[in-house]
Amino acid sequence: CKEYKTSVNLLKKHCNYNRNTIPQISEISSFLQLQTNFRLRPVAGLISSRDFLNGLAFRTFFCTQYIRHPSMPLYTPEPDICHELLGHVPMFVDRDFCDFSQEIGLASLGASDEDVLKLARCYWHSVEFGLCRGEDGTHKAYGAGLLSSFGELEYSCKERSQD
């Protein structure tokens, strides 16, 4: 979508996004703070839904730093830096998306475990694997899990018969 492309162009201009380097999380975080008041916080791996949503409430996105194994360049079972930089970070350049993310996070504060799980699923199913229909009627991916995995992207956007 045009918002994603605009965000990636801003990241290229301000954060050294290019084919030859892996941008530094600290530089991206500084840029995001100026752009949308969101920040990146490195984590070693997956964290609980409650902790993840709590971070969103305070405009913090937890992201991993390792890179996928070269034997599987098109897919990784857990989020890696490619997933974060290609899938999530461009979304956090957009203020509307950041406000939406913060609202989901705020709703989780003090919520029951059951409600946290519902909020996490809602966020996960849209932000990780979201699809929408473009103006031309074709499927468009906006989920980070799709945008960072060629195999998942190809499968999810493939035209299928209605039966």
Side-chain angles (χ1 to χ4, degrees), residues 25 27 33 36 44 46 68 74 78 106 155:
I25 290 177
E27 291 176 23
Q33 283 183 273
T36 61
L46 295 175
R68 61 190 67 186
L74 301 180
E78 290 187 4
L106 289 169
Y155 177 79

Side-chain angles (χ1 to χ4, degrees), residues 5-136:
K5 290 177 181 178
T6 298
S7 294
V8 169
N9 284 333
L10 286 169
L11 291 164
K12 285 178 181 178
K13 181 177 179 181
H14 298 283
C15 300
N16 200 27
Y17 260 55
N18 65 66
R19 295 176 188 260
N20 302 316
T21 62
I22 298 175
Q24 296 299 304
I25 290 177
S26 60
E27 291 176 23
I28 297 167
S29 188
S30 294
F31 171 71
L32 290 177
Q33 283 183 273
L34 292 172
Q35 193 78 8
T36 61
N37 201 29
F38 240 87
R39 64 189 45 83
L40 302 178
R41 182 170 175 209
V43 291
L46 295 175
I47 61 174
S48 74
S49 294
R50 186 173 294 281
D51 289 342
F52 176 78
L53 293 173
N54 184 280
L56 294 179
F58 296 95
R59 297 183 86 83
T60 299
F61 180 75
F62 295 103
C63 66
T64 56
Q65 301 180 80
Y66 76 94
I67 193 161
R68 61 190 67 186
H69 195 273
S71 67
M72 302 250 325
L74 301 180
Y75 175 77
T76 180
E78 290 187 4
D80 73 336
I81 195 68
C82 296
H83 171 83
E84 310 292 23
L85 296 179
L86 298 173
H88 288 295
V89 168
M91 294 180 186
F92 285 103
V93 176
D94 183 79
R95 183 166 295 280
D96 290 335
F97 178 79
C98 291
D99 292 345
F100 160 75
S101 296
Q102 184 179 29
E103 288 298 323
I104 295 280
L106 289 169
S108 77
L109 298 178
S112 69
D113 290 344
E114 180 182 350
D115 287 340
V116 166
L117 183 60
K118 289 176 184 177
L119 289 165
R121 284 182 178 158
C122 176
Y123 194 80
W124 188 79
H125 284 291
S126 59
V127 173
E128 289 293 341
F129 295 102
L131 290 171
C132 60
R133 196 170 298 279
E135 291 178 15
D136 61 358

